[in-house]
Structures are given as C-alpha cells and as structure tokens.
Amino acid sequence: MLRAGLPELTAFVAIAHERSFSAAARTLDVSPSALSHAMRGLEAKLGVRLFNRTTRSVALTEAGEQLLRRVGPAIADLEDAVNEVTSARDHPSGSIRISASESAAKALVRYVLPAFLATYPDIHVEFVVDTRLVDIVADGFDAGIRVLQDVPRDMVAIRFGPDMRFAAVASPEYLTRHKPPKAPHDLAQHRCIRFRFESGALYRWDLEHRGKSASVDVAGPMTLGNLNLMVEAALAGIGIAWVPDYLVAEHLAAGRLAQLLPEWSPSFPGLCLYYPANRHPPTALRLFAQAVREWANAGAG
C-alpha cells in the first residue's frame, strides 16, 4: 500500500533539491511551517527520518537519499506530462534544469538562449554551475553539458562547438621573470595555477606530442575551482594556467597571454548537451535540444 501522497512526495523532492525548507516553500508557494508539518507526517508514515535538520542547514539522511533517487525522476516525469498536456500547442511552457560548468554553459547562453527564449517566452531555463560529474538523473536534472568522452553511454548527446584543446598560457610579464619551459618536465620549476574539482581532486596536466604523453602534477602558489579565474590569474602574472584554448583565444591574439609548449597541447572531442535516452524528453527540453542541434549544424562547430 502506498503510504505517501503525491503532494508530500513533491514537497520532499523540492526540499531535497533546494536543501532548504524556506526556499522550497517559496518554490511551492506554501508556508515553511506547512512544509515542516508535511515532512513530519511523511516521516511518520514511512517510519524513517528523511532529513537531518539544524538551524542553518538541511541534509538528506541515507534513507532520504535512497528515496530521492527513486522518487525524483518519477516526480519530474509527472510534472513534464502535466506541462505537455496543459501547454497550448503554439505556446510551449515548462522548465529545463541543466548541470554544467560555467565555461561549458557560456556558449549556449551567448549564442542559443537569446533567440530560443525570445521564441518560447514561457519556457524557463536554469543552469546549475558545478565542476563535478554529477548523475543528472539521480540529482534531478533534465540535461547536462560535458565533453563527449565523459558522457554516459545511455544518453542522447548533441555535439556543439569545435574539438577542445588545452593550452598552457602565461603573461608576458611572467615570462620576463621566468624562462619559458621547453619540455613538460620543465614545468616543475614554474609557478603553476592548479585546478581543484568540487570532489576535492586536483587536476593533473596531461600533455601529448607525437604519440608521447606526460602527466604532470604541477605545483604553484594558487589553486582555483573556476577556469575563468585561472585565466584572470594568468593575466595578472601569477603563473602558468592550463585551460581550454577557447577561453584564452582573444587574449593570445591580443598578446596579453603567450602559449607555452604548444606542440604538447592535446585535442579531444568537444562539448555536448546530453539527456537520458530511455526517457521521453519533455517538450521544453526537446525544443531546446533542437535549437542546440540547429545552431551546431549551422556552423557552431
């Protein structure tokens, strides 16, 4: 017998996504006290605690995490079905929630979203910026953006943009104080700007040249979790940054940065918008995916 009703489960998913009773209450247009009462009732029915609550934070318990993994996608499917039925044919509506890094989302925000949102004013697009490789289904996302090689096999992937190449860059001012490296092992003698994922892992610099590869665990004065800040740090002369070349193309052309060891810069397939292949995409996501595909086919890549 089903022990929980749809309103309670919808409220649970909203709180789990927002990690806040007050934020979830605003989303659902109810009072925080009503939401707290509903969750106490749901926990009583299920006989388990779903949230660990303090005055400052809300976190899912192990039972809560398990329930969210199963219920989250089902609630999303129900919302999509209702949106499709209630939307007029000529006025599609709905929300699209996309997981992406800041740099990965930038091209779509600049080149796809303006025309898309003008054409479909009742569709809302949300980008959640994250450097982790999240499970978009378990975490309640409609889609994600990653480089092609990191997209799970059970996903529909839409390529956009050119192949990606990483580049080691530094400012002319930095290079007046430090002799440019001639080989990957020379980087050990330089001040390098490191990148740390939200998982805590540090990114190693993987260089390639004519079949040879070098994985360098660099050191330096600064560690950042944002690629755009790494570019700013390089422009400020702090050290050498290892970033996708599309982020620094304008700075290289203007002479504000210089590329180092260019022959060692590896290339790999670029970015993709991806979403589950085994689920019927809601109208809003289907239209957005179509817009990305048309932009890519028109020469974005």
Side-chain angles (χ1 to χ4, degrees):
M1 179 181 294
L2 185 63
R3 298 183 180 180
L6 180 60
E8 293 171 310
L9 294 175
T10 300
F12 163 74
V13 171
I15 298 166
H17 285 162
E18 297 288 351
R19 294 294 196 269
S20 165
F21 275 74
S22 58
R26 288 192 296 271
T27 299
L28 298 173
D29 196 23
V30 299
S31 69
S33 60
L35 212 52
S36 295
H37 179 75
M39 286 305 97
R40 285 195 295 270
L42 178 59
E43 289 175 330
K45 290 178 182 179
L46 298 179
V48 295
R49 180 177 290 276
L50 300 173
F51 297 101
N52 289 319
R53 283 163 272 193
T54 69
T55 56
R56 294 187 176 182
S57 66
V58 175
L60 286 166
T61 63
E62 184 176 350
E65 294 279 6
Q66 182 180 0
L67 183 62
L68 180 63
R69 284 195 296 270
R70 298 297 301 273
V71 171
I75 294 294
D77 281 344
L78 287 172
E79 291 177 347
D80 293 339
V82 171
N83 284 335
E84 287 194 32
V85 170
T86 57
S87 294
R89 174 175 296 181
D90 296 330
H91 299 282
S93 64
S95 296
I96 311 168
R97 193 164 179 260
I98 304 172
S99 172
S101 68
E102 180 182 349
S103 58
K106 189 174 181 179
L108 298 188
V109 171
R110 178 179 294 181
Y111 299 112
V112 177
L113 263 298
F116 178 79
L117 295 177
T119 303
Y120 304 109
D122 295 325
I123 292 179
H124 178 85
V125 179
E126 177 184 1
F127 282 101
V128 178
V129 174
D130 199 334
T131 60
R132 296 174 302 146
L133 298 181
V134 304
D135 182 333
I136 61 170
V137 175
D139 288 0
F141 292 99
D142 298 296
I145 301 175
R146 291 186 191 173
V147 294
L148 180 61
Q149 65 189 28
D150 290 334
V151 175
R153 293 185 177 181
D154 59 343
M155 298 283 167
V156 174
I158 301 171
R159 279 282 311 273
F160 65 87
D163 285 351
M164 187 179 295
R165 183 180 296 274
F166 268 73
V169 296
S171 70
E173 189 271 335
Y174 174 86
L175 295 174
T176 63
R177 295 181 282 111
H178 302 273
K179 185 178 179 180
K182 294 183 178 180
H185 65 264
D186 293 336
L187 292 168
Q189 309 304 317
H190 279 268
R191 296 166 64 83
C192 296
I193 302 161
R194 308 197 70 179
F195 179 85
R196 188 186 297 276
F197 294 99
E198 287 193 17
S199 65
L202 285 165
Y203 186 73
R204 295 178 66 93
W205 294 15
D206 295 319
L207 296 84
E208 296 179 4
H209 177 53
R210 294 183 178 179
K212 296 181 180 180
S213 62
S215 184
V216 185
D217 189 13
V218 298
M222 177 172 282
T223 300
L224 296 166
N226 181 287
L227 292 173
N228 289 323
L229 287 180
M230 292 180 70
V231 174
E232 291 299 319
L235 287 167
I238 292 173
I240 301 174
W242 179 249
V243 294
D245 61 356
Y246 66 84
L247 289 180
V248 294
E250 293 179 4
H251 298 305
L252 292 172
R256 292 185 292 267
L257 290 175
Q259 185 171 359
L260 309 174
L261 303 172
E263 69 279 9
W264 283 91
S265 294
S267 178
F268 48 90
L271 296 170
C272 296
L273 174 75
Y274 68 99
Y275 56 90
N278 58 358
R279 292 173 58 186
H280 177 66
T283 299
L285 176 59
R286 177 176 55 79
L287 292 172
F288 183 66
Q290 179 180 329
V292 172
R293 184 179 290 108
E294 290 175 353
W295 172 66
N297 291 340

